[in-house]
Amino acid sequence: MRITVFGATGNVGSRVVAEALARGHEVTAVVRDPAKPHGLPATAALTVGDAGDPEDVTRISAGQDVVITATRPAPGREHELSVATKGLLAGVAGTGVRLLAVGGAGSLTVPGAGGTTLVETPDFPAEIRSIALACSEQLDLYRAAGEDVDWTYLSPAALLEPGVRTGRFRLGRDELLVDAAGDSAISMEDLAVALLDEVEQPAHRRSRFTAAY
Ligand SMILES: NC(=O)c1ccc[n+]([C@@H]2O[C@H](COP(=O)([O-])OP(=O)(O)OC[C@H]3O[C@@H](n4cnc5c(N)ncnc54)[C@H](OP(=O)(O)O)[C@@H]3O)[C@@H](O)[C@H]2O)c1
């Protein structure tokens, strides 16, 4: 398949690019600044664009099967996530190109907590509250998108870090997945596996899903 990745130079995006290439897909990596070292594999095509610009999104996604976005604004600029989200949604609307977004875990409900979301819990870390709230707004924008957008939103586990690719994890929908010890985690490599599985075998069209050990 032809897959374009926004946020390709990031922690998650670079692993998505690697997983997609390993599966034999034709990958286009979007960078904002071509002069900045990107460290992407030579087998990925590079193109320049900004997720917040609907014209860039339409131009770059033309002829693609799927657009994946794993963008994250710099700390203090969390409001830019909604600009990027609106640009992506407007840019693919009506084109038939599928849009898959890596978002946040904060909007997942906590098991047994009567509908309370993770970001609403008293122990939620203050330093990631702004990005978590921005990601909740991001999910709201996806859910409000018109019927002409074929979207899927992937919320990671609470702890998402570089690690190893095991290919073994569980999938859920709107509730945080926790293991027997009460932990919620997944490696970025396995999150990329979950995302590429969804690309190849769509099971969560116009909805959110989550992946965790
Ligand atoms: N447990 C969790 O819920 C959890 C934990 C970690 C991450 N996440 C989520 O995972 C996603 C990716 O995070 P990350 O840690 O991989 O981020 P990251 O390493 O900071 O990378 C962010 C990427 O986004 C790009 N970018 C930002 N704004 C853009 C725009 N308007 N247009 C195009 N590209 C843009 C950056 O490009 P430049 O190089 O041009 O700046 C960079 O490639 C985010 O949605 C984040 O919230 C969730």
Side-chain angles (χ1 to χ4, degrees):
M1 294 173 85
R2 288 188 293 261
I3 301 173
T4 285
V5 182
F6 282 84
T9 61
N11 287 308
V12 173
S14 58
R15 288 163 173 85
V16 169
V17 168
E19 180 68 26
L21 287 172
R23 295 183 184 212
H25 296 294
E26 235 177 88
V27 179
T28 300
V30 185
V31 297
R32 285 192 292 183
D33 179 1
K36 201 168 142 184
H38 53 72
L40 288 160
T43 42
L46 281 194
T47 193
V48 179
D50 193 309
D53 182 336
E55 287 180 11
D56 275 4
V57 175
T58 304
R59 172 180 55 80
I60 291 167
S61 59
Q64 299 294 295
D65 297 300
V66 173
V67 168
I68 293 175
T69 177
T71 72
R72 179 181 186 141
R77 306 183 68 89
E78 287 80 6
H79 60 280
E80 290 180 359
L81 186 61
S82 71
V83 178
T85 303
K86 288 173 186 167
L88 287 158
L89 289 168
V92 301
T95 66
V97 180
R98 205 171 162 217
L99 175 61
L100 278 81
V102 177
S107 55
L108 293 165
T109 56
V110 178
T116 301
T117 60
L118 190 59
V119 69
E120 291 167 345
T121 56
D123 294 338
F124 193 83
E127 63 277 13
I128 55 168
R129 200 176 147 74
S130 294
I131 185 67
L133 291 173
C135 286
S136 299
E137 191 187 342
Q138 176 194 34
L139 175 60
D140 290 342
L141 288 168
Y142 276 89
R143 285 179 165 159
E147 293 287 331
D148 58 352
V149 181
D150 184 3
W151 62 271
T152 295
Y153 185 100
L154 173 56
S155 281
L159 192 64
L160 174 65
E161 289 185 333
V164 293
R165 181 191 191 284
T166 70
R168 290 191 309 276
F169 45 80
R170 294 174 297 150
L171 297 183
R173 287 192 177 269
D174 292 315
E175 188 173 90
L176 184 74
L177 291 172
V178 293
D179 65 16
D183 297 323
S184 172
I186 191 162
S187 72
M188 290 179 174
E189 287 75 5
D190 277 334
L191 192 79
V193 174
L195 197 63
L196 266 296
D197 287 350
E198 174 67 27
V199 165
E200 292 173 355
Q201 303 212 338
H204 302 92
R205 287 199 129 118
R206 290 186 58 82
S207 67
R208 180 257 291 275
F209 75 112
T210 186
Y213 298 127

